[in-house]
Amino acid sequence: VVDDASTDDTPRVAERVGVRLVRLGANRGPGGARNAGAGVARGDVLFFVDADVVVAPDALDRVRAAFAADPALAAVFGSYDERPRATGLVSQYRNLLHHWVHQQANPEASTFWAGCGAVRRPAFEAMGGFDERRFPTSSIEDIELGYRLRRAGYRIRLDKALQGTHLKRWRLRSVVWTDVTRRAIPWARLIRETRHAPNDLNVSRTQRLCVGLVFLAGALLPAAVLRPEAAALAALPLAAVVALNHRLFAFFARTRGWAFALACVPLHWLYFLYSGASYAFVWLETLLRQAPAASRSLPRG
């Protein structure tokens, strides 16, 4: 257990159950804490589990079996399960959405997730571990590690049966703030930097289409002030988003009921809205940075 300069009773609890405790004098964030743990671990496989995740009883066996069955496999990760502990609409929506996205993703993964994921030590060390300088706080440090692993030719597998229960409680404000500042914007920057947007997970083509449809609806809504029929036109792309994600909402209904599924519809529209706005921000940011360089390269008369 890595105690990342915690202010609660983490060290006492860890010592009481007899695990090896690594105490950091200053907070280094998830990437730095994981690197510190990897530095003292003795195994050939590094299995990372977030502090707010309780892995299933068969998790270790699944990781061991995955690597034993495929010597060329460099990493394996799973997903949250269908039983998030925190109650409330926003917490349930956010955690179940993560489960759904991973359950629908390509098993031959294009990235990595460290909430419940394992990496062979040689591959991890060859990549230099998590980039804790670039990501000093919780962000996409695991996604970025996955990108580097794939660019280096390593294989990563998503084992959909490798699961853990998420304990985190979400509020709407924390969801939007975390998704925008620590997920969407850093991920958009990574995509533009690597020029690689895999048709998988949160950046699949269907999800990108949904972003465009939500923005189209937003563009049509102001016209409804002058022409009421424009409101009906704005409703069409929003309805299309629901149709494109009908299997997700059916999953919500199956696990939590139709009232919950319907309540999640506006939350999902909002998700696409701020995700698209985050990418637009990064796109504009890139243009503004490139403009001075382009002006310097122009011939002078």
Side-chain angles (χ1 to χ4, degrees):
V1 172
V2 179
D3 173 28
D4 193 18
S6 67
T7 57
D8 57 14
D9 59 350
T10 293
R12 183 181 60 81
V13 172
E15 290 172 341
R16 189 173 63 211
V17 297
V19 301
R20 185 176 183 183
L21 181 66
V22 179
R23 303 187 69 170
L24 303 184
N27 186 276
R28 289 170 54 179
R34 296 185 192 117
N35 286 342
V40 300
R42 295 186 293 268
D44 295 328
V45 171
L46 303 170
F47 186 12
F48 300 101
V49 180
D50 278 354
D52 58 2
V53 173
V54 179
V55 295
D58 65 345
L60 288 172
D61 291 335
R62 296 199 66 86
V63 169
R64 185 184 298 111
F67 286 126
D70 189 350
L73 187 65
V76 60
F77 67 95
S79 76
Y80 296 143
D81 60 23
E82 297 181 11
R83 300 175 298 277
R85 294 277 182 88
T87 58
L89 173 65
V90 175
S91 293
Q92 290 284 305
Y93 161 75
R94 188 68 174 79
N95 290 321
L96 289 173
L97 176 62
H98 181 283
H99 169 81
W100 171 262
V101 169
H102 278 221
Q103 292 299 306
Q104 305 308 307
N106 187 349
E108 287 299 316
S110 55
T111 183
F112 181 66
W113 178 55
C116 178
V119 188
R120 290 190 193 270
R121 178 184 291 278
F124 182 81
E125 293 179 346
M127 294 297 99
F130 295 96
D131 191 344
E132 59 182 288
R133 291 187 178 181
R134 182 173 181 178
F135 304 106
T137 59
S138 176
S139 186
I140 60 162
E141 69 283 344
D142 48 358
I143 293 172
E144 192 271 340
L145 173 62
Y147 271 46
R148 281 188 282 131
L149 285 166
R150 285 300 303 267
R151 287 202 304 272
Y154 291 104
R155 287 182 50 240
I156 307 171
R157 179 175 299 157
L158 166 56
D159 178 0
K160 299 177 183 182
L162 173 61
Q163 298 185 13
T165 301
H166 199 205
L167 308 181
K168 186 175 179 67
R169 181 178 299 278
W170 290 98
R171 298 187 184 278
L172 184 59
R173 181 178 178 181
S174 65
V175 167
V176 175
W177 176 256
T178 300
D179 275 356
V180 170
T181 64
R182 299 191 177 184
R183 302 284 295 179
I185 289 178
W187 201 341
R189 286 172 177 159
L190 183 63
I191 289 172
R192 294 195 65 84
E193 174 188 315
T194 60
R195 298 183 180 181
H196 178 59
N199 181 32
D200 198 16
L201 294 172
N202 305 75
V203 293
S204 67
R205 294 189 184 96
T206 300
Q207 301 301 288
R208 283 178 260 174
L209 174 59
C210 288
V211 167
L213 289 169
V214 169
F215 269 74
L216 176 59
L220 290 171
L221 278 176
V225 177
L226 300 175
R227 300 181 66 89
E229 60 269 25
L233 289 176
L236 291 177
L238 294 178
V241 171
V242 176
L244 288 169
N245 292 272
H246 70 279
R247 295 176 61 241
L248 167 65
F249 294 115
F251 163 71
F252 285 158
R254 186 171 66 253
T255 55
R256 297 296 184 274
W258 278 108
F260 173 81
L262 292 173
C264 288
V265 170
L267 290 176
H268 213 46
W269 287 336
L270 177 63
Y271 164 75
F272 288 124
L273 179 64
Y274 64 66
S275 297
S278 300
Y279 188 85
F281 169 81
V282 172
W283 176 77
L284 181 59
E285 176 187 62
T286 304
L287 286 182
L288 293 175
R289 287 178 178 175
Q290 292 174 345
S295 63
R296 288 194 298 269
S297 65
L298 291 174
R300 300 183 182 275

